[in-house]
Amino acid sequence: MDLLLIGPPGVGKGTQAARLRQALGVPHLSTGDLLRRHVAEGTRLGAAAAAHMQRGDLVPDELVTEMALGQILGPSCAAGVVLDGFPRTPAQAEALDTALAAHGRRLTAVLHLNAPARTLLRRLTGRRTCGGCGDSYHLDTRKPRTPGRCDSCGQRLVQRTDDTAETARTRLAVHARQTQPLLARYHQAGVLHEVDGCGDVGAITRRLLAAVAPYAAGDQDASRSTGWPTSPVRSSLS
Ligand code: AMP
């Protein structure tokens, strides 16, 4: 099962993709995490990507696409993947579709998580991430037991450099301009599901799992199945 979680920065794609990985047993691929690792390790790709990421802009298509497809077509994702943060542009989407088709695969479902801009900004600027294991916390809604320390591994919590208010605003604008147009593509392909990204983390996971349940049961055409509480795609996308 090849799933894509798409949505604006701060909507909870990383958190939810990790929960889907656990629930479905399908690996989670975050291009943001991969790029941050390249930056931390000082690779050539990391050096080329760092300034774009720091500004809140997208890393050029050719750099990200090669990195992402290398993983998606590799052995760890051979039985499927939950994609988080890729594709983010029409060129990336085209490259992904072509590469998957060449291997007899296609995106099973695209889950569009969304929330109001005010909520997204609050989530981004209050987010704190563990420098050790990468676990995510929030100053208001998911406080660690010991302030500033990760519950799981005890390492220091830090604010991502692109989670400041100014860069977060840039990232939301970049998403609206460059990534949101992909929704029409996936709507036309009949694979898009709208999922409300507001509220309790567990409730959001249940909505996502309900949306993919028909596919998990081997039904490749969700529109034929009835009784599943998947949200219909907004008609304004057509
Ligand atoms: P994320 O952790 O998904 O919010 O990604 C953090 C940053 O990594 C983004 O703001 C971009 O600079 C870069 N990035 C991640 N995925 C992509 C992608 N598919 N295309 C271009 N840039 C990306």
Side-chain angles (χ1 to χ4, degrees), residues 31-32 35-36 53 57-59 64 85 88 92 160 171:
T31 43
L35 288 167
R36 278 185 288 277
M53 297 171 74
D57 285 334
L58 294 186
V59 173
V64 176
R88 262 171 147 112
Q92 292 178 19
R160 265 172 56 173
R171 289 164 65 204

Side-chain angles (χ1 to χ4, degrees), residues 128-129 137-139 142-151 154-158:
R128 296 294 180 271
T129 309
Y137 295 83
H138 193 278
L139 294 180
R142 193 176 174 229
K143 296 179 185 177
R145 283 193 295 272
T146 308
R149 293 278 165 191
C150 177
D151 289 351
Q155 293 274 319
R156 222 161 62 81
L157 301 183
V158 292

Side-chain angles (χ1 to χ4, degrees), residues 5-20 28 82-85 111-115 119-121 123-124 127 136 160 171-172 195-201 204-205 208:
L5 259 187
I6 195 168
V11 78
K13 296 187 298 295
T15 302
Q16 293 299 334
R19 293 170 71 93
L20 289 185
H28 161 206
V82 180
L83 293 173
D84 156 17
L111 306 163
H112 178 215
L113 262 186
N114 210 355
T119 307
L120 299 172
L121 265 178
R123 285 188 190 169
L124 287 169
R127 178 161 64 181
S136 204
R160 265 172 56 173
R171 289 164 65 204
L172 289 173
V195 179
D196 183 1
C198 292
D200 175 68
V201 172
I204 299 169
T205 309
L208 290 166

Side-chain angles (χ1 to χ4, degrees), residues 32-178:
D33 284 350
L34 275 182
L35 288 167
R36 278 185 288 277
R37 212 171 307 147
H38 275 279
V39 172
E41 289 171 6
T43 67
R44 197 134 42 115
L45 171 56
H52 300 281
M53 297 171 74
Q54 184 76 37
R55 284 194 305 269
D57 285 334
L58 294 186
V59 173
D61 283 336
E62 58 278 15
L63 297 181
V64 176
T65 302
E66 192 186 331
M67 175 191 77
L69 292 183
Q71 295 287 322
I72 295 164
L73 302 177
S76 61
C77 299
V81 63
V82 180
L83 293 173
D84 156 17
F86 179 88
R88 262 171 147 112
T89 66
Q92 292 178 19
E94 191 64 40
L96 174 66
D97 282 354
T98 305
L100 287 178
H103 289 77
R105 288 159 66 178
R106 64 190 288 267
L107 282 174
T108 314
V110 175
L111 306 163
H112 178 215
L113 262 186
N114 210 355
R118 224 184 29 241
T119 307
L120 299 172
L121 265 178
R122 208 171 50 237
R123 285 188 190 169
L124 287 169
T125 55
R127 178 161 64 181
R128 296 294 180 271
T129 309
C130 174
C133 68
D135 255 13
S136 204
Y137 295 83
H138 193 278
L139 294 180
D140 303 325
T141 53
R142 193 176 174 229
K143 296 179 185 177
R145 283 193 295 272
T146 308
R149 293 278 165 191
C150 177
D151 289 351
S152 314
C153 71
Q155 293 274 319
R156 222 161 62 81
L157 301 183
V158 292
Q159 182 176 37
R160 265 172 56 173
T161 54
D162 59 353
D163 277 347
T164 58
E166 191 190 343
T167 311
R169 278 199 193 87
T170 303
R171 289 164 65 204
L172 289 173
V174 164
H175 171 81
R177 197 172 59 245
Q178 296 187 260

